[in-house]
Amino acid sequence: SGSFRPYVESLSGKRDPETYMRVFTLDPNNKIPIQFFSHGDPYKFKNFKLCSIITPQLDTWQFLRGLGLRPAVPFSEQTLANYIFSILSELGLNPTYDTYGNIVARYRNQSSDSTQPPIAFVAHMDHPGFEIVESNNSVAVAQALGGVPVSCLSAPARVLVLLPDGRRISAETRPIAEGVRSRTVQIPLPDNIPLTYPTPVVFDLQEFLLDGDLLRMRALDDLAGCATILSAIERLMHNKIKTDVF
C-alpha cells in the first residue's frame, strides 16, 4: 500500500551576470516534505515592503559595478568621487567635499533620537597603482602608490595608463635597478602619447565580474565599503528609518 507524502521540489539558484539577480530553478532530485505547524525563519512584518522593487543586494551590486568601472589611484580619485557625489545627490542628500577632497553626506530622520550620537560610515575610494612622474623617449617612469606588492616592482605587470581625455593605454611595467627600494618602474609607451604629470596608472585586472557567487574585481579594497555605504543609506532612506548617520 502506498502513503500520502506531499512534497515540494527545492530551488537551486545562481546569480545572473547581466542583472546581478539570483535566478532559481526547481531541482527535482531534492524533494522537501511538506510539514504543518513547523518552525520557519523569524521575520518582522512591519519591515515587509510590498512597494520595494530593488533588493538591497541588487543595489549593492549595481553600486559596486559603477565604482569598479571608474578606477582611481591615490590622489587621482576625482572621477570616482564625482560618481559617488552624484548618487548621494540623486538620493536627495546634500553631499559636500571637505578640504582634503573627502565626500561628506548626512542622512538624519527628523524623528530620530537627538540624544544619541550619530553613526559615521567611512571607506576610502583609492586603490594601489602608480603615477607617471616623468618620461623620456617614450619610456615613462612611474611611482608606486599604496600597497603595491613587491612582486609587481620586481617583475613585469600589465597596467592601464589613464589619460586625461578618458582613453586607457594598455602597457606593461618594466623593473629597473633599485626599483624595489625606490618603488619605481619604467613603462614603455607608444609615441605621441599626451601625458600630464602625474598620470595615474592602474593594474590591468578585471573591473567587475560576477562568476556565480564569486566576485572578481580589481579594487574591492575598499570600493566594497563604498558600495555598502551607498546601499545602506539608500535602504535607510527608502524605509524612512529613524536614525542619524554620516
Side-chain angles (χ1 to χ4, degrees):
S1 61
S3 60
F4 179 65
R5 295 182 179 180
Y7 65 87
V8 294
E9 296 176 349
S10 69
L11 293 174
S12 60
K14 62 180 181 179
R15 197 170 302 282
D16 188 311
E18 297 295 330
T19 65
Y20 317 134
M21 296 291 289
R22 288 191 67 84
V23 179
F24 294 93
T25 56
L26 291 174
D27 183 0
N29 296 318
N30 188 13
K31 299 177 180 180
I32 302 175
I34 294 178
Q35 303 179 42
F36 297 97
F37 306 107
S38 60
H39 290 284
D41 295 329
Y43 67 95
K44 294 182 179 180
F45 179 77
K46 65 180 181 179
N47 289 338
F48 184 68
K49 301 291 184 178
L50 292 178
C51 60
S52 179
I53 299 175
I54 301 176
T55 66
Q57 191 176 48
L58 176 57
D59 286 342
T60 305
W61 291 131
Q62 290 176 325
F63 289 142
L64 190 52
R65 181 178 185 276
L67 296 172
L69 296 178
R70 295 164 173 82
V73 299
F75 314 118
S76 297
E77 304 149 90
Q78 198 57 51
T79 299
L80 182 58
N82 290 343
Y83 175 70
I84 296 175
F85 194 97
S86 67
I87 292 175
L88 294 170
S89 298
E90 291 172 3
L91 290 175
L93 300 177
N94 295 304
T96 59
Y97 288 105
D98 68 10
T99 305
Y100 302 98
N102 298 307
I103 301 172
V104 180
R106 184 180 190 181
Y107 164 66
R108 181 182 180 185
N109 189 306
Q110 294 301 319
S111 59
S112 62
D113 187 355
S114 60
T115 64
Q116 297 297 319
I119 299 173
F121 297 115
V122 181
H124 62 86
M125 297 178 287
D126 61 332
H127 45 273
F130 301 87
E131 62 179 10
I132 294 176
V133 294
E134 62 179 282
S135 63
N136 183 25
N137 295 327
S138 299
V139 177
V141 176
Q143 180 76 45
L145 299 174
V148 174
V150 172
S151 60
C152 295
L153 300 172
S154 58
R158 298 298 303 173
V159 294
L160 295 172
V161 180
L162 309 180
L163 300 182
D165 59 9
R167 287 184 295 158
R168 302 180 181 187
I169 305 300
S170 179
E172 186 174 80
T173 63
R174 189 167 66 191
I176 60 176
E178 301 296 323
V180 172
R181 183 181 61 81
S182 63
R183 292 179 56 79
T184 55
V185 295
Q186 290 183 339
I187 303 178
L189 294 172
D191 294 332
N192 302 318
I193 296 297
L195 293 177
T196 58
Y197 305 115
T199 295
V201 179
V202 298
F203 290 102
D204 190 0
L205 300 172
Q206 186 69 52
E207 292 182 325
F208 183 91
L209 175 65
L210 272 174
D211 183 6
D213 282 334
L214 179 64
L215 176 60
R216 303 181 187 276
M217 191 172 172
R218 172 175 48 223
L220 270 173
D221 180 9
D222 191 21
L223 295 187
C226 295
T228 302
I229 292 172
L230 291 172
S231 182
I233 291 177
E234 192 277 335
R235 288 292 94 190
L236 292 172
M237 298 182 68
H238 177 80
N239 293 307
K240 298 180 174 57
I241 301 299
K242 298 178 181 180
T243 189
D244 186 4
V245 298
F246 283 88

